[in-house]
Amino acid sequence: MANPKAEIFELNNGTMQVLVSNLGCTITSLSVPDKDGVLSDVVLGLDSLDSYQKGLAPYFGCIVGRVANRIKDGKFTLDGVEYTLPLNNPPNSLHGGHVGYDKKVWEVVEYAKGETPSITLKYHSHDGEEGYPGDITVTATYTLISSTTLRLDMEGVPKDKPTIINLAQHTYWNLAGHDKANILDHSIQILANHVTPVDQNSVPTGEIMPVKGTPFEFTSEKRIGNTINEVGIGYDHNYMLDCGEEKAGLRHAAKVRDPSSSRVLNLWTNVPGVQFYTANYVNGVAGKGGVVYEKHAGLCLETQGFPNAINQPNFPSTVVKPGEKYQHSMLFEFSTE
């Protein structure tokens, strides 16, 4: 088919509204009620798709791939062959390279309105794209499965060659509203007893460290601002999801609460890790509605395989072979309390 054009699609069930673009599967807006039923847009974003296409957003709202996060020195070996990737975040390769999946216009496969509105998007990634081996077809489906719950299902099917894949949804959340100053007063619980410490270039060292007694401990709810100054410029770390309860094949990953609006987000997933990122590098980004986003304007909870897993034999594998399927689901449950 001809190259699809970048558009925005609305998912609306009468209680919450989500705007999704086929450019990078990007959530450009997500509005949910506060304790008084007042709707606010709780995701950081830009005013126009043109601004996203110009690369003015630091991965706001998009799906990143083929491999999310950092690959050390942009190198890995698979089945005895060494591959070299673009160093778009020197000295590492980040979020799929210079033109990752977030910068591609995906094909709209299905778009359904009604009580459980959904959109399914598809992208064919070719062998050698951004240095990665093998053709793979990826799909992403966003569905409003209940009045205040969004589900995302991502799949990857390799064609005839093994590859590595690790997709992540990179939305920046501010539950008080995207136009509020920062997320330091939000509290968060991360259902993880362990974190993967990083080197000076934000790549995991391979160690799996208990969080107990450290500033990384969020096993019970804690205000983010309390300890953020104890971890350098902020949180940008992968947590090992090992203590959350399970339901319907998904594990509880995190709970975020904003005291001003009483909005709560509970996140569930089927993958082993989540990157907790506090927008440390956001600096004067011209956002939607004339808002300027500064450091810590939002927080990301990017469920994922562990970063640089291909180069760390003790991390869960991110290799997928022909005949296998990559599957990654996320459930965003909004409420007030």
Side-chain angles (χ1 to χ4, degrees), residues 246-306:
E246 291 195 29
K247 70 169 181 189
L250 302 181
R251 184 184 286 131
H252 195 193
K255 175 187 178 182
V256 186
R257 189 168 57 86
D258 163 52
S260 65
S261 65
S262 299
R263 285 190 191 91
V264 171
L265 166 58
N266 277 287
L267 175 61
W268 301 73
T269 190
N270 66 331
V271 293
V274 62
Q275 188 85 3
F276 174 41
Y277 173 54
T278 47
N280 312 323
Y281 301 106
V282 172
N283 178 7
V285 176
K288 54 193 171 186
V291 177
V292 177
Y293 302 126
E294 300 293 354
K295 186 177 178 181
H296 308 321
L299 65 90
C300 302
L301 287 165
E302 307 155 59
T303 59
Q304 61 181 2
F306 292 5

Side-chain angles (χ1 to χ4, degrees), residues 309-327:
I310 187 64
N311 293 316
Q312 289 291 356
N314 63 320
F315 284 1
S317 174
T318 49
V319 176
V320 61
K321 301 184 171 102
E324 299 174 346
K325 187 191 278 189
Y326 166 84
Q327 289 182 299

Side-chain angles (χ1 to χ4, degrees), residues 211-223:
V211 296
K212 194 166 176 57
T214 75
F216 298 101
E217 185 174 9
F218 290 100
T219 44
S220 51
E221 218 178 292
K222 184 177 84 180
R223 180 179 173 272

Side-chain angles (χ1 to χ4, degrees), residues 21-44:
S21 176
N22 59 332
L23 172 65
C25 288
T26 302
I27 296 174
T28 61
S29 168
L30 188 151
S31 298
V32 285
D34 69 3
K35 61 182 182 295
D36 302 316
V38 177
L39 282 176
S40 291
D41 182 357
V42 296
V43 304
L44 275 53

Side-chain angles (χ1 to χ4, degrees), residues 16 18 27 30 32 43 61-63 141-154 168-173 175 247 250 254 256 264-269 274 300-303 328-335:
M16 70 183 288
V18 183
I27 296 174
L30 188 151
V32 285
V43 304
C62 58
I63 289 178
T141 300
Y142 291 101
T143 310
L144 296 186
I145 62 167
S146 71
S147 61
T148 52
T149 303
L150 170 68
R151 183 176 175 118
L152 168 60
D153 294 292
M154 297 175 269
Q169 216 298 340
H170 209 297
T171 290
Y172 290 69
W173 305 97
L175 296 183
K247 70 169 181 189
L250 302 181
V256 186
V264 171
L265 166 58
N266 277 287
L267 175 61
W268 301 73
T269 190
V274 62
C300 302
L301 287 165
E302 307 155 59
T303 59
H328 178 179
S329 295
M330 304 175 78
L331 201 63
F332 304 91
E333 287 185 331
F334 296 93
S335 57

